[in-house]
Amino acid sequence: AVNGDILYFGIPGYGVARKDMSTDELMAPLTTTSNSPGQSNPNSILPSDTIYSLESNGNDLYIGTANGAIVWDGSTSSTFKTGGQWNTRPQRYYDFTATGGNVYAGTNIGVCKWPASQIASANPDCLNVYDGMPNWDTYSVESEIIDVANGIHKFVSGTHST
C-alpha cells in the first residue's frame, strides 16, 4: 500500500517494511513486540507479524494480521475494537475498504463494519453464515458506488472461500 510518499509492504514473519519513495530510504519497520525483544521500540505496534492486508485511506493505513488489526496514521496506532460475543470478535483480517464513513473488513468470521471515527471504541457489526453469508472466511471486500436512474446506490461486496 502507498500512503503519501511511503510504500508499505508486509513480510511474513517480520511485519511491515517501509520505504520513503521520495528519498529511496528504507525506514524502520512496523513490528510486533516479539521482533524487538528487550527494546523500547515505538514501531512495535502490530498484533502479529503475519500480515494479511494493507489498505490506505487518506492519512490512515489499515493493517490486518493473523491476530487483530490496527489503524496507523504515520505516528500512532489504534487497535480495532472487537465485541464481547464470538461473532463480533474477528481474529484474522484479510482485507479492508472504507466508504460512507465506515470501514469494512473481510475477516475469519465474515464481513465486519466499524464507524471510521470509532474504530477503537465501537463494537463491530458483523455479518456471517447465520445472517445468510455462504461461508465464514471473507478474503476480500470492495465498495462500489453506482448511479442508477439518478439515484446513487452504495454497496459492499465480499469474496468467500469455497
Side-chain angles (χ1 to χ4, degrees), residues 49-66:
D49 61 11
T50 301
I51 309 301
Y52 289 133
S53 57
L54 298 167
E55 181 72 30
S56 179
N57 182 43
N59 292 327
D60 293 331
L61 179 71
Y62 304 116
I63 304 173
T65 77

Side-chain angles (χ1 to χ4, degrees), residues 37-106:
Q39 300 175 13
S40 176
N41 184 343
N43 295 329
S44 296
I45 59 171
L46 300 177
S48 168
D49 61 11
T50 301
I51 309 301
Y52 289 133
S53 57
L54 298 167
E55 181 72 30
S56 179
N57 182 43
N59 292 327
D60 293 331
L61 179 71
Y62 304 116
I63 304 173
T65 77
N67 195 29
I70 65 165
V71 58
W72 167 256
D73 68 6
S75 60
T76 60
S77 66
S78 298
T79 300
F80 275 67
K81 184 172 181 1
T82 58
Q85 302 296 317
W86 68 269
N87 61 343
T88 59
R89 208 171 32 235
Q91 183 176 353
R92 294 181 304 277
Y93 292 73
Y94 301 118
D95 195 19
F96 297 98
T97 191
T99 186
N102 294 306
V103 176
Y104 297 84

Side-chain angles (χ1 to χ4, degrees), residues 106-161:
T107 75
N108 62 298
I109 63 167
V111 175
C112 296
K113 174 181 85 169
W114 292 260
S117 63
Q118 299 175 345
I119 287 172
S121 61
N123 287 331
D125 179 17
C126 300
L127 295 174
N128 58 48
V129 294
Y130 296 119
D131 299 307
M133 300 280 280
N135 207 331
W136 290 101
D137 285 331
T138 304
Y139 292 106
S140 66
V141 291
E142 190 64 39
S143 62
E144 297 186 37
I145 299 174
I146 300 174
D147 186 351
V148 178
N150 299 321
I152 297 177
H153 302 274
K154 295 181 182 180
F155 64 94
V156 175
S157 61
T159 304
H160 308 276
S161 63

